Amino acid sequence: MSTGPGEPEQQALFGWSDTVPDEGAAPKGTAPKGPAFRDSPEARRMLDVREVYAEPAALDSPRGHQIMSRLAPDVRVTEVDGHWRIPSLHGNDGNIGRWVRIKTETLVLGVKHTLATRPNGRSADWIAPGPSNGCAMACAYCYVPRRKGFANPITLFTNIEAIVAHVRRHVRAQGPKTEPNQCDPRAWVYDIGENGDCSVDALVSDSTADLVAAFRSMPTAKASFATKFVNPDLLALDPQGRTRVRFSVMPPGDARLLDIRTSPVAERIAAAADFLDAGYEVHFNLSPVVLRPGWQRDWAELLTHLDDVLPDRVKEQAAAEIIMLTHNAGLHEVNLGWHPKAEEVLWQPDAQETKRSQNGALNVRYSQDVKRQALARLHQLLEEHAPWLRIRYAF
């Protein structure tokens, strides 16, 4: 696909219609027969690793050996002292023009040294230590790269056994959930993918499968992760209701501009029934809500589409989060270097104000009056077009 000046290298990962067969598809709720999706040409278009930066301990670990065994034998490996700050990667402003290519071709392997579970109370009760940081997708509003600098490929943490053990201890310490809340009426909900996308991680690592398997044996807890990528391999993980997948959706026009290299929104929605039948709880993230001319019309069309195509069994258990756009001045400057058209809708100083986030970062959000009016209108649209969609929280 050719791109013009100011366009990202790749506007979307899939045309998708030519990658999903019309015949011979797997029955609902089962993994596709034949080779794993992660070995397919479509998966390699997402992640075709040619360079690895790795901490020595990560390379020497069992998970590190497994990940490396799945990569091409001629992959270039550079050992680094730490995964967080790699001068030639995160500290090189010349990488901005290669933002998407680096996500496609570069992988970082590290060890997560600080294992901590912290309270959340919004989407989940707890934020667990995740198995990754960064992503092969390139959503223009993503908050993860705000502190990294000029590149944000996937960093995979190879000490998954320690991460799982930590989560198990934390779950045991909580005991049963005694009072229902907006996260879940019965189970303690742990977000396992705060800083990455577990569906994409599963293309090169079994850590997502390990976490799903771990929560399968925890009757008082439930894993949760948001995704913008439909990975059919996840249908084989048998979560038995103990993992919640939150498919992030937005109007398709916004997604084509902002959700670079993700599965098309219609495919995320179409996958909901398959994931439910495979044993996942399926929720949705209406995220992010970007205010620009025509946003109300386009969100109405999206909600109507959800109502039209989702089967009753999905609607009966579905819930959603509404997340208004949060942006950042540093990310704005980075985006101007690789995708300036996105900033025409993301950066709206007349409607935005600076606010310190829960994690201490100084970010830009819609002003209180603008946000309040937009949320009220979105609730009206939900009542008109998808009244079955329960909103767990709006932020």
Side-chain angles (χ1 to χ4, degrees), residues 198-220:
C198 292
S199 298
V200 178
D201 295 348
L203 296 177
V204 286
S205 169
D206 284 350
S207 294
T208 297
D210 290 342
L211 284 161
V212 170
F215 276 91
R216 193 165 58 220
S217 64
M218 299 183 203
T220 63

PDB file of all heavy atoms in Angstrom, residues 198-220:
ATOM      1  N   CYS A 198      -2.670  -8.487  24.915  1.00  0.00           N
ATOM      2  CA  CYS A 198      -2.405  -9.912  25.124  1.00  0.00           C
ATOM      3  C   CYS A 198      -2.647 -10.726  23.863  1.00  0.00           C
ATOM      4  O   CYS A 198      -2.013 -11.776  23.670  1.00  0.00           O
ATOM      5  CB  CYS A 198      -3.273 -10.442  26.266  1.00  0.00           C
ATOM      6  SG  CYS A 198      -2.851  -9.792  27.900  1.00  0.00           S
ATOM      7  N   SER A 199      -3.560 -10.289  23.007  1.00  0.00           N
ATOM      8  CA  SER A 199      -3.833 -11.028  21.774  1.00  0.00           C
ATOM      9  C   SER A 199      -2.638 -10.979  20.825  1.00  0.00           C
ATOM     10  O   SER A 199      -2.325 -11.962  20.144  1.00  0.00           O
ATOM     11  CB  SER A 199      -5.066 -10.453  21.074  1.00  0.00           C
ATOM     12  OG  SER A 199      -6.215 -10.576  21.875  1.00  0.00           O
ATOM     13  N   VAL A 200      -1.964  -9.836  20.777  1.00  0.00           N
ATOM     14  CA  VAL A 200      -0.785  -9.705  19.930  1.00  0.00           C
ATOM     15  C   VAL A 200       0.407 -10.424  20.561  1.00  0.00           C
ATOM     16  O   VAL A 200       1.185 -11.101  19.870  1.00  0.00           O
ATOM     17  CB  VAL A 200      -0.460  -8.232  19.670  1.00  0.00           C
ATOM     18  CG1 VAL A 200       0.797  -8.091  18.821  1.00  0.00           C
ATOM     19  CG2 VAL A 200      -1.626  -7.543  18.991  1.00  0.00           C
ATOM     20  N   ASP A 201       0.555 -10.306  21.885  1.00  0.00           N
ATOM     21  CA  ASP A 201       1.649 -11.007  22.562  1.00  0.00           C
ATOM     22  C   ASP A 201       1.622 -12.495  22.242  1.00  0.00           C
ATOM     23  O   ASP A 201       2.672 -13.136  22.119  1.00  0.00           O
ATOM     24  CB  ASP A 201       1.536 -10.833  24.076  1.00  0.00           C
ATOM     25  CG  ASP A 201       1.707  -9.404  24.540  1.00  0.00           C
ATOM     26  OD1 ASP A 201       2.136  -8.551  23.732  1.00  0.00           O
ATOM     27  OD2 ASP A 201       1.392  -9.129  25.715  1.00  0.00           O
ATOM     28  N   ALA A 202       0.415 -13.055  22.102  1.00  0.00           N
ATOM     29  CA  ALA A 202       0.271 -14.495  21.876  1.00  0.00           C
ATOM     30  C   ALA A 202       0.810 -14.933  20.524  1.00  0.00           C
ATOM     31  O   ALA A 202       0.943 -16.137  20.280  1.00  0.00           O
ATOM     32  CB  ALA A 202      -1.198 -14.900  22.015  1.00  0.00           C
ATOM     33  N   LEU A 203       1.139 -13.993  19.639  1.00  0.00           N
ATOM     34  CA  LEU A 203       1.752 -14.363  18.368  1.00  0.00           C
ATOM     35  C   LEU A 203       3.171 -14.888  18.549  1.00  0.00           C
ATOM     36  O   LEU A 203       3.663 -15.642  17.712  1.00  0.00           O
ATOM     37  CB  LEU A 203       1.771 -13.162  17.418  1.00  0.00           C
ATOM     38  CG  LEU A 203       0.421 -12.612  16.962  1.00  0.00           C
ATOM     39  CD1 LEU A 203       0.624 -11.382  16.080  1.00  0.00           C
ATOM     40  CD2 LEU A 203      -0.390 -13.677  16.232  1.00  0.00           C
ATOM     41  N   VAL A 204       3.837 -14.477  19.632  1.00  0.00           N
ATOM     42  CA  VAL A 204       5.241 -14.863  19.810  1.00  0.00           C
ATOM     43  C   VAL A 204       5.540 -15.446  21.183  1.00  0.00           C
ATOM     44  O   VAL A 204       6.665 -15.875  21.435  1.00  0.00           O
ATOM     45  CB  VAL A 204       6.179 -13.645  19.578  1.00  0.00           C
ATOM     46  CG1 VAL A 204       6.275 -13.309  18.109  1.00  0.00           C
ATOM     47  CG2 VAL A 204       5.728 -12.435  20.376  1.00  0.00           C
ATOM     48  N   SER A 205       4.568 -15.491  22.066  1.00  0.00           N
ATOM     49  CA  SER A 205       4.819 -15.938  23.430  1.00  0.00           C
ATOM     50  C   SER A 205       3.610 -16.691  23.968  1.00  0.00           C
ATOM     51  O   SER A 205       2.466 -16.381  23.617  1.00  0.00           O
ATOM     52  CB  SER A 205       5.123 -14.728  24.326  1.00  0.00           C
ATOM     53  OG  SER A 205       5.125 -15.080  25.695  1.00  0.00           O
ATOM     54  N   ASP A 206       3.859 -17.666  24.840  1.00  0.00           N
ATOM     55  CA  ASP A 206       2.769 -18.414  25.479  1.00  0.00           C
ATOM     56  C   ASP A 206       2.346 -17.799  26.808  1.00  0.00           C
ATOM     57  O   ASP A 206       1.599 -18.422  27.566  1.00  0.00           O
ATOM     58  CB  ASP A 206       3.204 -19.861  25.716  1.00  0.00           C
ATOM     59  CG  ASP A 206       3.197 -20.681  24.436  1.00  0.00           C
ATOM     60  OD1 ASP A 206       2.687 -20.181  23.412  1.00  0.00           O
ATOM     61  OD2 ASP A 206       3.709 -21.818  24.458  1.00  0.00           O
ATOM     62  N   SER A 207       2.810 -16.590  27.117  1.00  0.00           N
ATOM     63  CA  SER A 207       2.496 -16.007  28.420  1.00  0.00           C
ATOM     64  C   SER A 207       1.018 -15.707  28.582  1.00  0.00           C
ATOM     65  O   SER A 207       0.459 -15.843  29.676  1.00  0.00           O
ATOM     66  CB  SER A 207       3.336 -14.755  28.648  1.00  0.00           C
ATOM     67  OG  SER A 207       4.708 -15.088  28.759  1.00  0.00           O
ATOM     68  N   THR A 208       0.343 -15.278  27.504  1.00  0.00           N
ATOM     69  CA  THR A 208      -1.098 -15.073  27.592  1.00  0.00           C
ATOM     70  C   THR A 208      -1.793 -16.382  27.921  1.00  0.00           C
ATOM     71  O   THR A 208      -2.685 -16.435  28.791  1.00  0.00           O
ATOM     72  CB  THR A 208      -1.642 -14.503  26.272  1.00  0.00           C
ATOM     73  OG1 THR A 208      -1.058 -13.218  26.043  1.00  0.00           O
ATOM     74  CG2 THR A 208      -3.162 -14.360  26.313  1.00  0.00           C
ATOM     75  N   ALA A 209      -1.399 -17.470  27.271  1.00  0.00           N
ATOM     76  CA  ALA A 209      -1.981 -18.787  27.550  1.00  0.00           C
ATOM     77  C   ALA A 209      -1.713 -19.200  28.990  1.00  0.00           C
ATOM     78  O   ALA A 209      -2.595 -19.777  29.656  1.00  0.00           O
ATOM     79  CB  ALA A 209      -1.416 -19.820  26.587  1.00  0.00           C
ATOM     80  N   ASP A 210      -0.531 -18.896  29.507  1.00  0.00           N
ATOM     81  CA  ASP A 210      -0.206 -19.260  30.885  1.00  0.00           C
ATOM     82  C   ASP A 210      -1.104 -18.526  31.873  1.00  0.00           C
ATOM     83  O   ASP A 210      -1.570 -19.107  32.868  1.00  0.00           O
ATOM     84  CB  ASP A 210       1.251 -18.935  31.184  1.00  0.00           C
ATOM     85  CG  ASP A 210       2.215 -19.849  30.451  1.00  0.00           C
ATOM     86  OD1 ASP A 210       1.792 -20.920  30.000  1.00  0.00           O
ATOM     87  OD2 ASP A 210       3.399 -19.470  30.320  1.00  0.00           O
ATOM     88  N   LEU A 211      -1.363 -17.254  31.622  1.00  0.00           N
ATOM     89  CA  LEU A 211      -2.209 -16.482  32.528  1.00  0.00           C
ATOM     90  C   LEU A 211      -3.657 -16.939  32.451  1.00  0.00           C
ATOM     91  O   LEU A 211      -4.343 -17.053  33.475  1.00  0.00           O
ATOM     92  CB  LEU A 211      -2.086 -14.992  32.208  1.00  0.00           C
ATOM     93  CG  LEU A 211      -0.788 -14.349  32.693  1.00  0.00           C
ATOM     94  CD1 LEU A 211      -0.525 -13.035  31.969  1.00  0.00           C
ATOM     95  CD2 LEU A 211      -0.827 -14.132  34.199  1.00  0.00           C
ATOM     96  N   VAL A 212      -4.162 -17.207  31.245  1.00  0.00           N
ATOM     97  CA  VAL A 212      -5.528 -17.714  31.112  1.00  0.00           C
ATOM     98  C   VAL A 212      -5.660 -19.038  31.854  1.00  0.00           C
ATOM     99  O   VAL A 212      -6.650 -19.278  32.570  1.00  0.00           O
ATOM    100  CB  VAL A 212      -5.907 -17.867  29.630  1.00  0.00           C
ATOM    101  CG1 VAL A 212      -7.230 -18.612  29.473  1.00  0.00           C
ATOM    102  CG2 VAL A 212      -6.001 -16.496  28.970  1.00  0.00           C
ATOM    103  N   ALA A 213      -4.681 -19.919  31.720  1.00  0.00           N
ATOM    104  CA  ALA A 213      -4.715 -21.208  32.415  1.00  0.00           C
ATOM    105  C   ALA A 213      -4.672 -21.026  33.923  1.00  0.00           C
ATOM    106  O   ALA A 213      -5.357 -21.740  34.677  1.00  0.00           O
ATOM    107  CB  ALA A 213      -3.551 -22.078  31.949  1.00  0.00           C
ATOM    108  N   ALA A 214      -3.873 -20.070  34.394  1.00  0.00           N
ATOM    109  CA  ALA A 214      -3.775 -19.849  35.837  1.00  0.00           C
ATOM    110  C   ALA A 214      -5.111 -19.397  36.423  1.00  0.00           C
ATOM    111  O   ALA A 214      -5.555 -19.898  37.466  1.00  0.00           O
ATOM    112  CB  ALA A 214      -2.685 -18.814  36.118  1.00  0.00           C
ATOM    113  N   PHE A 215      -5.779 -18.460  35.760  1.00  0.00           N
ATOM    114  CA  PHE A 215      -7.049 -17.963  36.291  1.00  0.00           C
ATOM    115  C   PHE A 215      -8.154 -19.005  36.182  1.00  0.00           C
ATOM    116  O   PHE A 215      -9.138 -18.939  36.928  1.00  0.00           O
ATOM    117  CB  PHE A 215      -7.448 -16.669  35.580  1.00  0.00           C
ATOM    118  CG  PHE A 215      -6.802 -15.451  36.171  1.00  0.00           C
ATOM    119  CD1 PHE A 215      -5.587 -14.993  35.693  1.00  0.00           C
ATOM    120  CD2 PHE A 215      -7.401 -14.776  37.226  1.00  0.00           C
ATOM    121  CE1 PHE A 215      -4.980 -13.874  36.242  1.00  0.00           C
ATOM    122  CE2 PHE A 215      -6.808 -13.656  37.795  1.00  0.00           C
ATOM    123  CZ  PHE A 215      -5.588 -13.210  37.300  1.00  0.00           C
ATOM    124  N   ARG A 216      -8.005 -19.960  35.304  1.00  0.00           N
ATOM    125  CA  ARG A 216      -8.988 -21.031  35.187  1.00  0.00           C
ATOM    126  C   ARG A 216      -9.115 -21.797  36.500  1.00  0.00           C
ATOM    127  O   ARG A 216     -10.166 -22.353  36.796  1.00  0.00           O
ATOM    128  CB  ARG A 216      -8.549 -21.971  34.054  1.00  0.00           C
ATOM    129  CG  ARG A 216      -9.595 -22.948  33.591  1.00  0.00           C
ATOM    130  CD  ARG A 216      -9.186 -23.542  32.266  1.00  0.00           C
ATOM    131  NE  ARG A 216      -7.886 -24.209  32.326  1.00  0.00           N
ATOM    132  CZ  ARG A 216      -6.969 -24.144  31.377  1.00  0.00           C
ATOM    133  NH1 ARG A 216      -7.173 -23.427  30.278  1.00  0.00           N
ATOM    134  NH2 ARG A 216      -5.830 -24.800  31.500  1.00  0.00           N
ATOM    135  N   SER A 217      -8.054 -21.806  37.283  1.00  0.00           N
ATOM    136  CA  SER A 217      -8.069 -22.550  38.552  1.00  0.00           C
ATOM    137  C   SER A 217      -8.263 -21.642  39.760  1.00  0.00           C
ATOM    138  O   SER A 217      -8.012 -22.063  40.891  1.00  0.00           O
ATOM    139  CB  SER A 217      -6.760 -23.337  38.698  1.00  0.00           C
ATOM    140  OG  SER A 217      -5.645 -22.453  38.776  1.00  0.00           O
ATOM    141  N   MET A 218      -8.676 -20.392  39.539  1.00  0.00           N
ATOM    142  CA  MET A 218      -8.889 -19.448  40.649  1.00  0.00           C
ATOM    143  C   MET A 218     -10.373 -19.095  40.716  1.00  0.00           C
ATOM    144  O   MET A 218     -10.828 -18.166  40.037  1.00  0.00           O
ATOM    145  CB  MET A 218      -8.054 -18.180  40.444  1.00  0.00           C
ATOM    146  CG  MET A 218      -6.567 -18.409  40.383  1.00  0.00           C
ATOM    147  SD  MET A 218      -5.672 -16.828  40.212  1.00  0.00           S
ATOM    148  CE  MET A 218      -4.124 -17.367  39.490  1.00  0.00           C
ATOM    149  N   PRO A 219     -11.158 -19.779  41.519  1.00  0.00           N
ATOM    150  CA  PRO A 219     -12.611 -19.565  41.526  1.00  0.00           C
ATOM    151  C   PRO A 219     -13.056 -18.214  42.068  1.00  0.00           C
ATOM    152  O   PRO A 219     -14.201 -17.820  41.865  1.00  0.00           O
ATOM    153  CB  PRO A 219     -13.128 -20.705  42.404  1.00  0.00           C
ATOM    154  CG  PRO A 219     -11.964 -21.089  43.260  1.00  0.00           C
ATOM    155  CD  PRO A 219     -10.752 -20.874  42.433  1.00  0.00           C
ATOM    156  N   THR A 220     -12.180 -17.494  42.742  1.00  0.00           N
ATOM    157  CA  THR A 220     -12.566 -16.196  43.295  1.00  0.00           C
ATOM    158  C   THR A 220     -12.097 -15.028  42.451  1.00  0.00           C
ATOM    159  O   THR A 220     -12.336 -13.873  42.814  1.00  0.00           O
ATOM    160  CB  THR A 220     -12.015 -16.031  44.721  1.00  0.00           C
ATOM    161  OG1 THR A 220     -10.576 -16.055  44.669  1.00  0.00           O
ATOM    162  CG2 THR A 220     -12.517 -17.134  45.634  1.00  0.00           C
TER     163      THR A 220
END
